[in-house]
Amino acid sequence: MARLDRRGFLRAGGHAALGLAGILGRPPASWAARELSVLTAVNYAPTSDAKLAELGKRFSKATGVTIRFDHIQSVQMPAKLSAELVARAGHDIVSLEMHYPWLFQPGLVDVSDICSDLSRKHGEWYPFLKEHAQVRGQWLGIPYLFTSFPGSHRIDLFEKVGERAPDTWEDLLRAGRKLKKLGHPVGFAISQTTDSVTTLYSILWCYGAKDVAADGKTISINSRETETAVDYVRALYTDAMDPAVLSWDNASNNQWLNSGAGSWIHNPISHYVVAKEKKLPVAEVTGFHPSPAGPAGRHTVGVPRSLGIWKFSKNVEAAREFLRWFFEPAQYQEWVMSGDNYNHPVWRDMENHPVWDLDPKYKPLKGMVQYSHLYGWPAPPDERIQLVTNSYIIPNMFAKVVTEAAKPKEAILWAETEIKRMLDKK
């Protein structure tokens, strides 16, 4: 792909909007809408939400259809989407994360025609993105980004204790013990938040554990491998972390590293994007490395998001047209660039996209897709896996152990019972 700078994308986006106006003029009579409403999770690279609003105005100018964007925290999305589906009223277009296309499939429009057209232009999506949005042969969302979870470390503090960026989880424990003594612990959430689910799944997989087997039926959490992973997290929590991680939300680790208190987190790069924008000194000494490996290899979560349309929307055709327009190269690439590599592009033909080269520190991020999975891997995607996530069974299992509320075997048995309860739901 030819390299284009931001000005080039901006010029191309403007030309595309003019082209749409020439083709459409004003909306056809079949479009009931004069306003489209879009619900998305807050983007932790704030400039991306600003760019989305700008693109919406551009589309409105071309078509006369106003677009309203509403942003809420990602942890609020399941309840909000459930309420809209039950009421059969709400937004026209919604952002869907992880297994949401599966969980909310009865209410979502089949957008396979748009996805097939995009596949012809770009080739296939990365496998876990396809697994996320293609539900029983139908595309119920159009993937528009994924985020990776690298390790983020304070280069200066690691050097101060004679350590390099950790390649394995055991490396992190060794370095973390030194860093906590220095007054700068390592950290990730062990709490009811999706960042916690992501990191703890990563650790489980790296130690050979899984909650559900590849057949999607066999509950496998009660294993020696899970015990090893739990013992590891207990040691890391006790020797290298701050107890505050038990109450962290998805923003806490970002704030903690940028404050200068922390030395390492497992998180997308949003904290760094904000640190650069605010010219915080910590930006200069922040580095990235691949998510750590374990005895069973290197595994982590790739967090996908797609855009879907509610069946009960009165504006399905207008919503389809907006999505077709948004995914045209000029608009889509401009939006991708706006997030400073927080928004990873979704097709293999964009592996050499200029967004990967915006900052030399981003080099480790590019290869993370090869060992990224959806929650519940190796089990196939399933709406019940999302119920396991939404119930925070995995973080609660670990929290019971690190707080000494339960012994490892007891906590694992509790998790096995809870996962069975979720998988028994039809």
Side-chain angles (χ1 to χ4, degrees):
M1 179 177 292
R3 293 178 179 271
L4 297 175
D5 61 16
R6 291 176 185 268
R7 291 181 182 175
F9 282 127
L10 189 58
R11 288 195 298 271
H15 295 158
L18 293 172
L20 183 66
I23 294 168
L24 295 178
R26 290 297 165 183
S30 61
W31 289 20
R34 285 296 178 270
E35 179 180 89
L36 278 174
S37 58
V38 182
L39 176 67
T40 75
V42 170
N43 193 305
Y44 284 102
T47 50
S48 282
D49 283 342
K51 176 57 68 176
L52 196 59
E54 180 186 323
L55 290 172
K57 290 177 182 176
R58 205 177 294 171
F59 181 83
S60 298
K61 185 176 180 180
T63 64
V65 176
T66 300
I67 301 187
R68 186 184 85 245
F69 293 98
D70 296 322
H71 306 281
I72 62 175
Q73 294 296 325
S74 60
V75 295
Q76 299 172 305
M77 286 294 285
K80 180 64 173 173
L81 293 171
S82 296
E84 292 196 357
L85 180 58
V86 170
R88 297 189 64 79
H91 294 79
D92 300 299
I93 298 172
V94 290
S95 178
L96 305 163
E97 189 171 296
M98 201 53 70
H99 294 90
Y100 292 174
W102 294 77
L103 188 61
F104 298 105
Q105 59 183 293
L108 294 168
V109 169
D110 182 357
V111 289
S112 298
D113 56 334
I114 302 176
C115 289
S116 295
D117 183 57
L118 289 168
S119 291
R120 283 191 293 271
K121 293 175 180 175
H122 296 283
E124 286 300 317
W125 278 269
Y126 293 114
F128 73 94
L129 287 160
K130 187 173 183 178
E131 292 167 2
H132 145 76
Q134 191 178 49
V135 180
R136 299 182 175 94
Q138 290 185 329
W139 287 88
L140 299 183
I142 308 172
Y144 70 109
L145 73 88
F146 78 94
T147 54
S148 60
F149 270 70
S152 302
H153 68 295
R154 279 281 301 275
I155 299 168
D156 57 332
L157 296 177
F158 271 72
E159 288 178 347
K160 196 168 186 178
V161 297
E163 294 284 348
R164 294 183 295 180
D167 183 58
T168 69
W169 290 106
E170 292 298 330
D171 289 343
L172 178 67
L173 177 57
R174 184 187 64 251
R177 286 171 168 148
K178 300 176 186 177
L179 288 158
K180 185 173 182 178
K181 288 178 182 176
L182 189 66
H184 296 279
V186 305
F188 54 77
I190 307 177
S191 59
Q192 294 192 10
T193 190
T194 51
D195 278 4
S196 183
V197 177
T198 295
T199 300
L200 293 170
Y201 259 131
S202 302
I203 294 172
L204 283 170
W205 296 333
C206 288
Y207 282 88
K210 49 191 173 289
D211 53 346
V212 182
D215 62 9
K217 301 174 184 177
T218 306
I219 300 169
S220 306
I221 193 72
N222 198 345
S223 69
R224 185 183 299 274
E225 291 81 5
T226 301
E227 283 189 56
T228 303
V230 167
D231 287 343
Y232 169 78
V233 171
R234 178 171 58 179
L236 189 69
Y237 171 82
T238 302
D239 298 350
M241 297 172 76
D242 188 306
V245 300
L246 295 168
S247 61
W248 276 6
D249 61 20
N250 278 350
S252 298
N253 52 2
N254 293 15
Q255 296 162 354
W256 186 67
L257 193 69
N258 281 351
S259 73
S263 59
W264 182 94
I265 61 174
H266 190 241
N267 198 72
I269 64 163
S270 48
H271 60 92
Y272 179 64
V273 173
V274 170
K276 287 198 297 183
E277 288 174 355
K278 294 185 176 180
K279 300 190 184 328
L280 300 179
V282 71
E284 293 295 322
V285 290
T286 297
F288 302 102
H289 60 88
S291 183
R298 197 181 306 276
H299 301 277
T300 189
V301 173
V303 180
R305 288 187 188 175
S306 60
L307 294 169
I309 304 170
W310 284 129
K311 284 181 179 176
F312 50 77
S313 167
K314 295 185 173 114
N315 309 309
V316 170
E317 288 309 312
R320 282 179 176 276
E321 197 59 43
F322 171 72
L323 293 180
R324 287 190 186 98
W325 179 82
F326 175 77
F327 282 99
E328 288 178 358
Q331 287 77 243
Y332 181 71
Q333 294 182 52
E334 185 178 336
W335 178 78
V336 164
M337 292 292 281
S338 72
D340 196 14
N341 205 234
Y342 178 81
N343 310 320
H344 299 336
V346 294
W347 293 284
R348 290 192 183 279
D349 76 338
M350 293 187 176
E351 287 180 343
N352 293 316
H353 192 284
V355 75
W356 298 107
D357 299 320
L358 285 173
D359 189 314
K361 289 185 179 182
Y362 295 157
K363 187 177 180 181
L365 277 60
K366 191 174 180 181
M368 290 189 59
V369 68
Q370 65 187 303
Y371 44 83
S372 292
H373 315 296
L374 299 181
Y375 294 155
W377 179 85
D382 188 292
E383 56 269 31
R384 296 170 301 168
I385 297 294
Q386 190 63 49
L387 295 178
V388 173
T389 303
N390 292 353
S391 302
Y392 297 109
I393 294 169
I394 300 301
N396 288 343
M397 176 186 73
F398 282 93
K400 285 175 182 289
V401 175
V402 303
T403 61
E404 300 182 351
K407 295 184 177 181
K409 287 183 182 295
E410 295 170 343
I412 293 168
L413 183 60
W414 170 84
E416 182 181 42
T417 302
E418 291 300 303
I419 292 169
K420 184 178 187 302
R421 193 162 61 86
M422 293 298 109
L423 263 61
D424 284 345
K425 293 180 182 288
K426 300 295 183 184

